[in-house]
Amino acid sequence: MEKVKTIAVNVAAIAVISVALFWGNALYRQYAQFEKGEKGTASGDFPAAVAGYEAAIHMYTPGSSIVPRSAQKLWDLGQMAEANHDTARALVAYRALRSSFYAVASIYSPGQEWIQRCDARIAALVAQQGR
């Protein structure tokens, strides 16, 4: 019986350590992608900025502050593109934001408010293009 207890404790410890390592790696990679987005924004490289922020959201981890910051940055890129009358880039930013949250959905679907906001902006922009 003691041997079974030892094995169970070891398995539990390995599971906890594995989850912690996975979580830590995801958070580190998420932060690295966010920084790529920041560098792209700072240098005026729109595709790099979108790709960095989008990748950060794709590495969704519950409780991470990077996900909402990345979402806001993508939204801001779309808003700036709209202000500059660049509908194509605005659509890229909004679609990237929306699809990022669709991509991380599983049992729980985060970012529903962002998806709804993006759907509204995308519909309005597409309607404007059709005129």
Side-chain angles (χ1 to χ4, degrees):
M1 189 64 166
E2 193 61 36
K3 188 172 184 175
V4 172
K5 245 190 211 181
T6 303
I7 291 172
V9 168
N10 286 339
V11 167
I14 290 169
V16 168
I17 291 169
S18 296
V19 168
L21 288 172
F22 177 76
W23 190 289
N25 183 29
L27 286 174
Y28 171 77
R29 291 175 48 220
Q30 191 178 62
Y31 181 78
Q33 291 301 319
F34 180 81
E35 285 302 313
K36 287 181 181 181
E38 291 287 87
K39 287 178 184 173
T41 299
S43 68
D45 187 351
F46 181 83
V50 169
Y53 297 134
E54 183 178 25
I57 296 170
H58 281 225
M59 294 173 207
Y60 180 82
T61 49
S64 170
S65 65
I66 297 295
V67 172
R69 288 172 56 197
S70 295
Q72 186 62 55
K73 294 288 187 167
L74 279 171
W75 181 261
D76 292 345
L77 287 174
Q79 294 285 287
M80 285 190 296
E82 277 193 74
N84 292 329
H85 305 290
D86 191 344
T87 303
R89 283 190 174 194
L91 285 170
V92 166
Y94 295 138
R95 286 175 174 155
L97 176 53
R98 180 181 65 176
S99 67
S100 294
F101 281 113
Y102 278 137
V104 299
S106 61
I107 295 171
Y108 168 69
S109 298
Q112 290 301 308
E113 66 283 350
W114 285 111
I115 291 170
Q116 291 171 0
R117 288 174 73 182
C118 289
D119 283 344
R121 290 308 314 136
I122 291 166
L125 292 172
V126 169
Q128 282 179 354
Q129 284 182 328
R131 290 184 206 168

